[in-house]
Amino acid sequence: MAVRFALLPVAATVATVLVLPAAAQEPRSVTTDGGTIDAASVERFFNQPGYSPYAGRSFPSRPLWGEIHLHTSWSPDAIAAGTRVGPDEALQYAKGGEITSSTGQKVRLSRPYDFMMVADHSDALGVMSGVLEGDPSLMTDPKLKEWHKGMNAGGEAATAVVMEMITLQGQGKVPKPMTDPDVQLDYWHKMTDIVEGHNDPGRFTALIGYEWTSNYGGGNNLHRNVVYRDGKAKADLVRPLTTFDTDIPNELWDWMAAYEEKTGGRVLAVPHNGNLSNGLMFATETPDGKPIDAKWAEERARWEPLYEVTQSKGTSEQHPKLAPSDEFANFEIWDKYNLAGVPKKPGDIEYEYARQALKRGLKLEDELGTNPFKFGLLGSTDDHTGVSSAEENNFFGKFPASEPGPERSNGNAFDFDGNTVKDWQLGASGLTAVWAPENTRSSIWDAMKRKEVYGTTGSRIFVRFFGGWEFDKDDAERRDPGTVGYGKGVPMGGDLPPAPDGSGAPTFLVAALKDPISGNLDRIQIVKGWVDANGEMQEKIYDVVWSGDREPGEDGKVPLIGSTVDVEKATWTNTIGAPELITVWQDPDFDPSLKAFYYARVIEIPTPRWTAFDAAYFKDAKFDADTPMTVTERAYTSPIWYTPKG
């Protein structure tokens, strides 16, 4: 059959079709070379929603991928350990460029990032590069001269410099030249110059920021990454806060308020590694022993809307001892020491993990009027190599000593006077997905502020999570969960609106699509936390949709999916699991009188861990017998909160 095309220019054809009779006239037909248009039908058609479901769409249509916690040679501990990749090269790499690592190896991401924040330590930012080069003005200090020799010697001598620097920083005893505020501000301006040069709105976002690195009390990790919404013009006006100024978090919040007041800019802070805080990260006292109060709760909620739930030094979602029925809690756990190798005391872990804090926040809200731990979840690497490497088959370690090589199979990532953490205990984790409508600083920052973000352990799993009162099973049959999700509910990071009368329990629409180069999906879970009528914190994990024909057991749990991993070859097959999962779930245990939160956890099928890739590549690698060789990658969404009426 021949197809007849209109002979008029496109613009002329469109103009002819859209000329409709005046309202007072009878509808008439319009004939063009494309056929006859019934004007009355067209008039009725245009009184309905547009045919294209994408026209006029204002919500984000895809997650933007990146991280906000990468260190380069401008961090004193990184350069002392041998890192020679600076912020310029790190940002080139994030954009998809191929660079040379500090150990001389070529490295490139599988896929470029959409955004990146170099988060070098504000303490002595860039100064140690001068120490490495032997700047005469710095070599007058005997300790810096000693470090200069150790850094240039490399190997164990450089590692010893790193450990001493961390210890002295935690004690507030670093050499005086490192604390000069004029030197710091000069290097900060150089840093923002570099970042500004890589920012390309709409294509790649280079966020300005730094890490404030409090090791309060000697290695108790209270670190925060400070993220700017602003560009260089505002960021340059105020010197970043250092722990030489203070190591108390609420004084960081004071700095943030002063920055915003002076510049008109915006900043937020993201804590990380509560698992290394020895009970201080989510404590109900300030680090210096003062009880928290309403003002403290309000400020923490304002300035810290997010928490880094997973990274190379352990995942901090939940500890298996705090949730013994959670078979997926024991994931990349670091739980022995703080950053100075000080062992934990009984009860410390209760105040170190995100899920416990989310529950405790509900309880504190009743006492203080504000939930101080109402945070969303994201992931970043905290790599100190200038190479962001959250990919199992592309993992470049924490420091140059743990970059790829047969020796890292039995090397030490950290050694605190004999208290060691092995290289194989490092995790190739994590990444942040941001639901932002534009790839710009303002759009990404705004999404972070409203908590419309999620973290993964490195896999780029596509996850939608919405809560409301009217989702039904038919919504899970649609191919556009975003349209129905935003139309009927609130996205991850939001608060459920008041329940309509007679609405029953809240409903949740959750959907996940596999990373195209990673494993299939095993299941989606919804994690619920609440405080019961007796004031006790509670949690429950629901398997809401899963792959295959497995049936829940008597305990309600879906059996483990099994594994297709060939450890010796570091391969697997996607013959189990599913490429996508979607469902609508309603809370079967809902009590409208109790506050609660809900977040989604998406689990992949087992795939080879980076240690398996190393063992297959380096024939001389000698991993311990208990070294894990498989991993179940996962995603953690920001929660959705429910608050009773009144």
Side-chain angles (χ1 to χ4, degrees):
M1 179 178 69
V3 179
R4 183 170 178 239
F5 294 93
L7 300 179
L8 292 175
V10 172
T13 305
V14 172
T16 303
V17 171
L18 294 182
V19 172
L20 299 178
Q25 297 175 334
E26 291 294 323
R28 61 183 177 82
S29 296
V30 179
T31 302
T32 72
D33 283 340
T36 300
I37 303 296
D38 184 333
S41 298
V42 172
E43 191 172 43
R44 288 194 301 274
F45 170 76
F46 281 111
N47 286 331
Q48 302 177 50
Y51 180 82
S52 172
Y54 314 113
R57 179 176 60 193
S58 59
F59 59 81
S61 59
R62 71 175 183 94
L64 299 177
W65 290 99
E67 77 151 305
I68 61 166
H69 192 182
L70 177 70
H71 295 270
T72 75
S73 61
W74 282 43
S75 283
D77 54 347
I79 193 170
T83 298
R84 299 297 178 263
V85 176
D88 183 60
E89 297 93 337
L91 287 162
Q92 291 176 19
Y93 169 84
K95 291 157 67 174
E98 183 176 289
I99 65 171
T100 302
S101 79
S102 298
T103 55
Q105 304 181 63
K106 294 295 184 182
V107 59
R108 187 175 186 175
L109 279 168
S110 65
R111 294 152 287 180
Y113 288 163
D114 297 301
F115 66 91
M116 166 71 83
M117 187 178 91
V118 171
D120 282 315
H121 301 295
S122 59
D123 293 358
L125 177 76
V127 174
M128 290 303 291
S129 62
V131 173
L132 176 70
E133 295 165 5
D135 183 337
S137 66
L138 299 174
M139 293 300 98
T140 58
D141 184 282
K143 180 56 68 175
L144 292 183
K145 188 173 182 178
E146 176 187 327
W147 286 356
H148 164 74
K149 293 179 181 178
M151 291 167 65
N152 280 279
E156 293 183 1
T159 301
V161 172
V162 175
M163 304 316 297
E164 184 176 19
M165 188 183 307
I166 292 173
T167 300
L168 293 181
Q169 191 269 349
Q171 297 171 351
K173 296 179 180 179
V174 295
K176 288 183 179 179
M178 295 176 66
T179 64
D180 187 321
D182 292 332
V183 173
Q184 185 202 13
L185 189 59
D186 180 56
Y187 273 102
W188 176 245
H189 291 168
K190 293 175 182 177
M191 172 66 82
T192 58
D193 272 339
I194 294 170
V195 176
E196 204 71 27
H198 285 277
N199 192 50
D200 187 4
R203 296 175 181 268
F204 178 82
T205 293
L207 293 162
I208 292 174
Y210 66 89
E211 180 177 333
W212 177 77
T213 317
S214 171
N215 292 315
Y216 186 87
N220 295 320
N221 187 110
L222 294 175
H223 302 181
R224 268 81 169 164
N225 292 321
V226 178
V227 186
Y228 291 68
R229 191 178 189 268
D230 315 312
K232 177 179 176 62
K234 291 182 179 179
D236 278 359
L237 296 177
V238 178
R239 178 176 64 87
L241 191 72
T242 72
T243 60
F244 309 134
D245 302 311
T246 181
D247 57 1
I248 302 294
N250 49 287
E251 293 180 3
L252 170 66
W253 307 335
D254 292 340
W255 177 93
M256 296 168 74
Y259 168 84
E260 290 195 350
E261 183 177 357
K262 178 174 181 176
T263 68
R266 302 291 302 280
V267 285
L268 59 82
V270 184
H272 63 87
N273 279 123
N275 61 315
L276 300 176
S277 71
N278 279 13
L280 294 187
M281 180 60 76
F282 300 117
T284 54
E285 294 180 342
T286 63
D288 50 352
K290 299 175 183 177
I292 62 174
D293 55 18
K295 181 176 183 292
W296 185 95
E298 291 170 2
E299 290 184 346
R300 181 150 187 169
R302 174 184 176 183
W303 298 114
E304 300 185 357
L306 299 170
Y307 179 67
E308 184 181 288
V309 71
T310 183
Q311 61 131 272
S312 63
K313 299 198 305 297
T315 292
S316 304
E317 182 211 7
Q318 182 61 299
H319 194 283
K321 290 183 179 178
L322 300 173
S325 64
D326 181 357
E327 67 268 45
F328 292 104
N330 192 19
F331 182 84
E332 304 288 354
I333 296 293
W334 283 35
D335 61 357
K336 293 183 179 180
Y337 318 115
N338 71 3
L339 277 176
V342 177
K344 296 188 183 301
K345 301 183 299 295
D348 279 354
I349 63 171
E350 175 70 32
Y351 299 94
E352 295 186 340
Y353 289 83
R355 196 187 303 165
Q356 293 298 102
L358 288 166
K359 292 185 293 185
R360 184 165 287 107
L362 299 176
K363 193 169 185 176
L364 290 172
E365 185 174 13
D366 290 333
E367 300 172 15
L368 304 175
T370 301
N371 181 347
F373 303 138
K374 193 174 182 179
F375 50 75
L377 302 176
L378 54 73
S380 285
T381 66
D382 194 14
D383 290 338
H384 281 57
T385 58
V387 177
S388 174
S389 58
E391 300 168 314
E392 302 293 337
N393 67 343
N394 197 25
F395 181 52
F396 267 66
K398 173 76 173 178
F399 288 104
S402 56
E403 288 193 0
E407 65 282 352
R408 74 172 173 178
S409 62
N410 201 33
N412 293 333
F414 292 91
D415 188 347
F416 304 97
D417 296 326
N419 293 330
T420 60
V421 178
K422 306 298 290 185
D423 277 328
W424 62 257
Q425 292 176 278
L426 293 166
S429 194
L431 279 183
T432 292
V434 176
W435 286 107
E438 297 177 337
N439 191 354
T440 62
R441 283 172 173 159
S442 58
S443 188
I444 290 173
W445 191 95
D446 290 346
M448 290 182 176
K449 181 67 174 178
R450 66 176 181 267
K451 311 173 188 127
E452 198 173 352
V453 302
Y454 63 97
T456 82
T457 56
S459 182
R460 302 194 192 186
I461 308 169
F462 186 118
V463 186
R464 290 284 203 188
F465 182 49
F466 297 94
W469 302 96
E470 299 176 349
F471 291 116
D472 57 52
K473 62 182 181 62
D474 291 341
D475 294 326
E477 302 299 321
R478 297 181 56 164
R479 300 303 306 168
D480 54 348
T483 299
V484 66
Y486 287 104
K488 294 173 108 176
V490 297
M492 61 182 77
D495 289 274
L496 286 169
D501 291 338
S503 61
T507 56
F508 297 87
L509 172 64
V510 60
L513 186 67
K514 76 178 293 291
D515 180 334
I517 64 172
S518 190
N520 275 344
L521 305 178
D522 170 0
R523 69 189 73 195
I524 300 177
Q525 301 176 312
I526 289 182
V527 179
K528 177 186 177 182
W530 73 99
V531 176
D532 65 23
N534 297 319
E536 298 297 323
M537 300 189 303
Q538 305 290 348
E539 67 176 59
K540 189 171 182 179
I541 300 171
Y542 301 86
D543 291 317
V544 298
V545 61
W546 54 90
S547 62
D549 56 1
R550 293 170 290 167
E551 294 291 338
E554 293 183 0
D555 58 358
K557 294 180 179 295
V558 173
L560 297 177
I561 195 168
S563 176
T564 66
V565 175
D566 183 327
V567 172
E568 185 176 349
K569 296 179 180 178
T571 60
W572 83 98
T573 62
N574 277 325
T575 51
I576 58 175
E580 63 177 48
L581 295 169
I582 185 171
T583 194
V584 168
W585 176 80
Q586 188 171 36
D587 182 359
D589 305 306
F590 181 65
D591 184 333
S593 68
L594 303 177
K595 295 176 182 177
F597 65 82
Y598 305 82
Y599 66 87
R601 185 170 65 180
V602 183
I603 308 291
E604 284 189 8
I605 67 170
T607 50
R609 193 174 182 266
W610 71 264
T611 44
F613 285 106
D614 266 29
Y617 185 86
F618 299 109
K619 301 307 179 184
D620 295 332
K622 297 178 181 178
F623 286 102
D624 295 339
D626 58 348
T627 302
M629 290 291 172
T630 65
V631 65
T632 49
E633 304 280 8
R634 58 199 60 195
Y636 309 95
T637 74
S638 291
I640 294 172
W641 286 266
Y642 165 74
T643 303
K645 290 182 179 179

